[in-house]
């Protein structure tokens, strides 16, 4: 097994020169499609329409392949920003030629549209979604103008955010660390190191806070303008449409989580006693629980454990994960100019997904590996329904990733002593809190800042951030003034406003599904593989109904909360068992 993995982008394009040649061909192909079909959809026999959609899909897949390569090149080395921007501008020309299709389809009479949907079963759900989006579409000319100026709007500020952060260094003991490296120190066993890392992170954020505030305010303005132009009901509405969910169901979920934050507070009071720290501070949140096992999860060890986990669940999952490690699907370690964080990019069905990690040998890194490979498996399986149908809404996109984490947790807990279980359970609960409760805090925070009028100062944003975070911890932990600035390094606030509630959604869904899996594994696994293979070709409601759940039932959310409570109770039982021994 390789100690370091790097991407092989050749399945996408041999090199930049090959891409540039294909880009011009793609622009021409898109123009040809426009010339052939623009203004003529009404006259196409409904039975022949599926072949037109297939041509449309092929053009968009070609565009996506170009943008995937240029984005991954940029993510692995942000000095390629100019090339990424060039590809974006050129691909916009191809997209301009394709813009008419969805608009013209939605302008057809209802009878004609229903005939087309009936005659195009492969794309029926995709076409039904287009009909739903039609209310918020503008004229063809207006859509072309928006597409033209998009690279100079929020996307430009997103790129500025990424490039700026990739260059930032954080001073620590006369060393200059990357963002990933300084954040990893917050998980140190040594409280002094955690505190120094917290101060280092905060100092650099403070030095850059004016620019980061400006970027966030630009995103706030863009969101408001988009709402007004398209007639969305709220600033969140566009996200709910893309997530194929409703304001009511999101509010129900958010309220359920807000009502149960005492779970977090109770846990951190337990952690305070275990660590023997009377007053926990913000830099103590991720302090590891003392354990006799001080194993570091180096990359090879992490690979082995994750592959064994998937092999024990589904041979289909195992084969995909194994191929990812062996064939250049993964970029594994931090380096200069590489983007921080982790993700799995779905790429296109004629290639394969690409997974980015920044492995630093922490226990959380092995769970990140499982998480992102869950996405990779989901993306690979969904290729079976084609490019247009493969993409899933965020509400179900996190299911496979979080479920993979639970599989890994279930494997690890059965291999260790009770003493080690305390550390493992604590770590897993903290991961769940980060995915469920913390992401819900992010949603509460975004709701408040986006519903404010005018530009907000750094202090105004920071105070709202502090207030929403403190609610989650109650009196179990004190957030310092340094912590007030930590909203400014969260990329989702810039790239995808109101993205974060999907993590909470996915976590609660998975907690319920995992309980079902434990009850009847043989019955569950084929249903789950089908769920993932359907990608975005069915609605989240239909997909979840495969398991017998209704996402519009208020009690649904309570099932997931109960699973979290049960896990906390299991931790308390293990601790009390140790006291009586």
């Amino acid at each position: 097994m390789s100690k370091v993995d790097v991407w092989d982008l050749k399945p996408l394009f041999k090199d930049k020169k090959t891409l540039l040649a294909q880009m011009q061909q793609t622009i021409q192909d898109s123009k040809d499609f426009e010339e052939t079909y623009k203004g003529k959809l009404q006259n196409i026999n409904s039975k022949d329409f599926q072949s037109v959609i297939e041509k449309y899909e092929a053009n968009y897949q070609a565009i996506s392949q170009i943008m995937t390569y240029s984005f991954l090149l940029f993510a692995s080395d942000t000095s390629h920003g100019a090339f990424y921007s060039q590809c974006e501008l050129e691909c916009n020309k191809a997209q301009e030629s394709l813009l008419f299709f969805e608009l013209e389809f939605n302008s057809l009479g209802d009878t004609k549209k229903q005939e087309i949907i009936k005659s195009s079963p492969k794309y029926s759900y995709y076409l039904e979604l287009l009909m739903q989006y039609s209310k918020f579409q503008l004229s063809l000319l207006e859509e072309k103008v928006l597409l033209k100026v998009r690279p100079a709007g929020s996307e430009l500020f997103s790129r500025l955010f990424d490039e700026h952060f990739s260059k930032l260094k954080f001073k620590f003991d006369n060393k200059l660390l990357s963002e990933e490296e300084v954040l990893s120190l917050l998980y140190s066993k040594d409280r002094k190191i955690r505190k120094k890392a917290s101060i280092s992170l905060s100092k650099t954020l403070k030095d850059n806070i004016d620019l980061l505030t400006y970027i966030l305010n630009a995103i706030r303005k863009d969101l408001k303008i988009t709402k007004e132009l398209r007639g969305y009901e709220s600033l969140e509405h566009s996200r709910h449409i893309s997530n194929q969910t409703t304001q009511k169901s999101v509010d129900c979920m958010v309220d359920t989580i807000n009502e149960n934050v005492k779970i977090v507070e109770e846990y951190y009071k337990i952690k305070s006693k275990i660590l023997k720290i009377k007053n926990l501070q913000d830099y103590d949140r991720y302090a590891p629980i003392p354990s006799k096992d001080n194993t570091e999860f180096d990359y090879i060890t992490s690979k082995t454990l994750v592959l064994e986990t998937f092999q024990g669940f589904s041979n289909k999952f195992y084969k995909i994960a194994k191929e990812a490690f062996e064939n250049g699907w993964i970029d594994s370690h931090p380096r200069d100019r590489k983007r921080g964080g982790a993700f799995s990019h779905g790429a296109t069905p004629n290639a394969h997904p690409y997974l980015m990690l920044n492995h630093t040998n922490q226990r959380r890194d092995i769970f990140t590996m499982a998480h992102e490979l869950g996405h990779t498996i989901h993306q690979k399986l969904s290729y079976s329904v084609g490019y247009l149908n493969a993409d899933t809404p965020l509400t179900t996109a996190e299911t496979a990733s979080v479920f993979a984490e639970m599989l890994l947790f279930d494997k690890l807990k059965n291999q260790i002593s009770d003493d080690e279980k305390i550390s493992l359970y604590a770590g897993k609960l903290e991961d769940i809190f980060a995915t469920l409760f913390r992401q819900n805090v992010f949603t509460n925070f975004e709701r408040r800042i986006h519903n404010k009028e005018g530009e907000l100062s750094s202090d105004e944003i920071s105070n709202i951030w502090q207030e929403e975070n403190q609610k989650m911890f109650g009196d179990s932990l004190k957030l310092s003034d340094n912590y007030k600035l930590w909203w400014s390094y969260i990329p989702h606030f810039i790239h995808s406003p109101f993205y974060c509630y999907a993590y909470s959604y996915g976590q609660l869904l998975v907690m319920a599904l995992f309980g079902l899996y434990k009850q009847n594994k043989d019955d569950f696994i084929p249903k789950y593989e089908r769920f993932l293979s359907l990608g975005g070709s069915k609605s989240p409601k239909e997909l979840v109904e495969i398991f017998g759940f209704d996402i519009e039932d208020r009690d649904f959310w309570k099932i997931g909360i109960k699973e979290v409570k049960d896990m906390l109770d299991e931790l308390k039982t293990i601790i009390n068992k140790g006291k009586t021994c």
Side-chain angles (χ1 to χ4, degrees):
M1 281 191 180
S2 174
K3 293 182 179 179
V4 176
D5 287 319
V6 293
W7 283 329
D8 176 9
L9 299 183
K10 287 185 177 62
L12 294 166
F13 291 101
K14 180 181 177 182
D15 50 32
K16 284 185 179 180
K17 184 179 179 181
T18 309
L19 178 147
L20 292 172
Q22 180 58 48
M23 187 157 62
Q24 295 311 308
Q25 183 61 53
T26 298
I27 293 170
Q28 185 58 52
D29 289 345
S30 298
K31 286 180 180 178
D32 292 345
F33 181 85
E34 182 180 30
E35 289 174 7
T36 303
Y37 296 108
K38 184 179 177 183
K40 302 171 186 175
L41 296 187
Q42 176 65 44
N43 302 323
I44 296 173
N45 189 299
S46 298
K47 294 180 180 179
D48 299 328
F49 208 89
Q50 181 159 307
S51 65
V52 178
I53 304 174
E54 288 170 350
K55 293 174 185 175
Y56 173 77
E57 179 178 49
N59 278 289
Y60 255 110
Q61 181 169 310
I63 294 169
S64 180
Q65 189 168 335
I66 293 165
M67 289 310 302
T68 297
Y69 181 95
S70 60
F71 168 72
L72 295 176
L73 195 65
F74 169 68
S76 61
D77 183 347
T78 55
S79 67
H80 290 287
F83 178 72
Y84 180 36
S85 180
Q86 176 192 359
C87 291
E88 188 174 43
L89 288 169
E90 288 297 300
C91 282
N92 274 351
K93 295 177 183 177
Q95 287 181 280
E96 282 181 38
S97 297
L98 301 175
L99 265 178
F100 80 92
F101 180 78
E102 293 185 0
L103 293 165
E104 192 170 326
F105 172 79
N106 279 329
S107 71
L108 299 175
D110 287 345
T111 302
K112 178 73 172 178
K113 283 188 283 194
Q114 290 300 335
E115 288 176 357
I116 291 170
I117 290 171
K118 187 176 179 180
S119 302
S120 308
K122 179 180 176 183
Y123 299 100
S124 59
Y125 183 61
Y126 165 75
L127 294 172
E128 287 168 0
L129 285 178
L130 289 188
M131 291 176 65
Q132 293 179 29
Y133 297 153
S134 63
K135 178 181 176 182
F136 308 104
Q137 286 178 327
L138 306 178
S139 70
L140 179 58
L141 178 60
E142 288 169 325
E143 292 289 354
K144 283 190 173 184
V145 170
L146 290 177
L147 180 64
K148 201 86 170 177
V149 302
R150 189 170 66 187
S154 61
E155 290 184 5
L156 186 67
F157 286 102
S158 292
R159 178 184 158 193
L160 173 61
F161 180 88
D162 285 346
E163 290 191 11
H164 188 71
F165 257 98
S166 72
K167 296 172 185 174
L168 286 184
K169 295 296 179 183
F170 301 81
K171 191 174 182 180
F172 186 90
D173 283 348
N174 297 318
K175 298 179 189 174
L176 293 177
L177 305 181
S178 69
E179 176 192 358
E180 289 292 328
E181 289 169 330
V182 77
L183 287 172
S184 73
L185 293 176
L186 295 174
Y187 295 79
S188 171
K189 302 171 194 172
D190 189 328
R191 197 179 191 209
K192 291 180 181 178
I193 290 177
R194 297 196 302 270
K195 184 175 181 179
K196 284 166 67 177
S198 169
I199 292 169
S200 173
L201 176 64
S202 301
K203 184 181 184 306
T204 300
L205 293 178
K206 186 176 181 180
D207 291 342
N208 293 271
I209 201 65
D210 289 343
L211 174 61
L212 298 173
T213 299
Y214 185 84
I215 292 172
L216 182 58
N217 274 314
I219 299 300
R220 291 178 61 243
K221 286 180 183 177
D222 183 82
L223 193 64
K224 284 183 169 65
I225 290 169
T226 301
K227 171 188 175 292
E228 292 167 5
L229 284 175
R230 297 195 178 277
Y232 293 127
E233 294 173 10
S234 70
L235 294 168
E236 301 174 33
H237 192 193
S238 62
R239 182 63 63 194
H240 302 334
I241 293 171
S242 64
N243 283 343
Q244 299 162 37
T245 189
T246 63
Q247 185 73 51
K248 181 179 179 181
S249 65
V250 174
D251 288 343
C252 179
M253 180 200 69
V254 169
D255 291 344
T256 302
I257 298 170
N258 286 337
E259 289 165 5
N260 287 278
V261 291
K262 288 289 184 183
I263 298 173
V264 180
E265 185 176 2
E266 182 181 2
Y267 166 77
Y268 276 100
K269 286 180 177 178
I270 293 170
K271 184 170 186 176
S272 176
K273 293 176 181 176
I274 295 173
L275 294 177
K276 299 178 181 178
I277 299 175
K278 185 176 181 182
N279 298 309
L280 290 180
Q281 302 293 316
D282 52 77
Y283 50 81
D284 295 317
R285 288 173 301 145
Y286 305 128
I289 299 295
S291 172
K292 293 176 183 177
D293 179 18
N294 296 316
T295 305
E296 281 196 342
F297 289 88
D298 63 73
Y299 190 60
I300 298 295
T301 301
S302 299
K303 276 187 183 184
T304 302
L305 278 168
V306 169
L307 285 172
E308 287 175 355
T309 298
F310 286 132
Q311 191 172 28
F313 176 72
S314 160
N315 194 48
K316 190 178 290 187
F317 279 36
Y318 169 70
K319 286 181 178 179
I320 294 173
K322 188 170 181 286
E323 187 179 1
F325 283 118
E326 292 176 350
N327 293 331
W329 298 17
I330 297 174
D331 194 304
S332 59
H333 285 75
R335 60 178 177 270
D336 284 346
R337 295 196 303 274
K338 179 181 173 182
R339 175 176 162 169
F343 64 79
S344 181
H345 193 297
T348 55
N350 59 334
H352 55 70
Y354 282 87
L355 193 162
M356 174 177 277
L357 301 172
N358 276 281
H359 199 86
T360 57
N361 297 342
Q362 304 290 326
R363 174 181 280 161
R364 65 190 175 93
D365 290 322
I366 188 174
F367 280 100
T368 298
M369 182 184 289
H371 179 104
E372 298 303 338
L373 275 167
H375 280 307
T376 298
I377 292 164
H378 193 176
Q379 290 158 348
K380 180 66 173 175
L381 290 173
S382 69
Y383 284 173
S384 63
V385 292
Y387 176 76
L388 290 178
N389 287 323
D391 197 28
T392 57
L394 295 175
T395 38
T396 53
E398 293 299 327
T399 307
S401 56
V402 181
F403 194 91
E405 290 187 58
M406 289 303 299
L407 287 173
L408 177 62
F409 172 78
D410 215 41
K411 178 179 178 63
L412 289 177
K413 77 176 186 181
N414 292 323
Q415 298 180 349
I416 56 179
S417 66
D418 282 349
D419 177 67
E420 293 163 344
K421 281 181 184 178
I422 294 174
S423 175
L424 180 67
Y425 267 82
K428 189 56 193 164
L429 280 165
E430 289 179 22
D431 286 342
I432 291 173
F433 295 160
T435 308
L436 179 61
F437 292 99
R438 189 166 186 253
Q439 300 299 323
N440 200 59
V441 167
F442 288 179
T443 301
N444 293 332
F445 167 73
E446 286 190 286
R447 283 181 166 183
R448 287 185 63 183
I449 63 167
H450 284 295
N451 284 305
K452 295 277 187 182
E453 293 298 325
E455 287 203 5
L456 296 177
S457 68
S458 302
D459 286 344
E460 287 174 313
I461 298 170
S462 297
N463 287 334
I464 293 171
W465 168 258
Q466 194 85 332
E467 289 168 11
E468 291 302 326
N469 277 272
Q470 194 65 67
K471 289 176 186 176
M472 179 173 70
F473 295 107
D475 61 6
S476 67
L477 184 149
K478 178 177 172 54
L479 300 176
S480 67
D481 286 341
N482 282 334
Y483 187 79
K484 282 186 177 182
L485 303 175
W486 289 18
W487 58 267
S488 61
Y489 76 84
I490 309 296
H492 291 110
F493 297 156
I494 307 303
H495 299 309
S496 312
F498 294 110
Y499 180 102
C500 296
Y501 77 74
Y503 284 114
S504 303
Y505 191 112
Q507 181 73 68
L508 282 178
L509 172 60
V510 167
M511 296 307 290
L513 292 181
F514 201 75
L516 188 62
Y517 161 66
K518 289 188 291 185
Q519 291 173 23
N520 191 336
K521 295 181 180 182
D522 292 338
D523 178 67
F524 178 88
I525 293 171
K527 289 180 179 178
Y528 186 59
E529 289 177 347
R530 178 168 174 257
F531 171 93
L532 298 182
S533 297
L534 286 169
S537 65
K538 301 288 183 184
S539 72
K541 182 176 175 61
E542 290 174 296
L543 291 173
V544 173
E545 282 173 354
I546 293 173
F547 304 102
F549 287 115
D550 181 359
I551 61 172
E552 294 180 354
D553 185 346
R554 186 175 179 85
D555 289 338
F556 162 73
W557 304 111
K558 296 178 182 178
I559 297 171
I561 290 292
K562 182 182 181 301
E563 289 292 319
V564 182
K565 288 180 177 177
D566 288 347
M567 189 177 289
L568 179 59
D569 288 341
E570 287 172 22
L571 172 62
K572 288 155 65 175
T573 299
I574 295 167
I575 291 171
N576 291 332
K577 181 181 175 183
K579 289 178 181 177
T580 58
C581 291

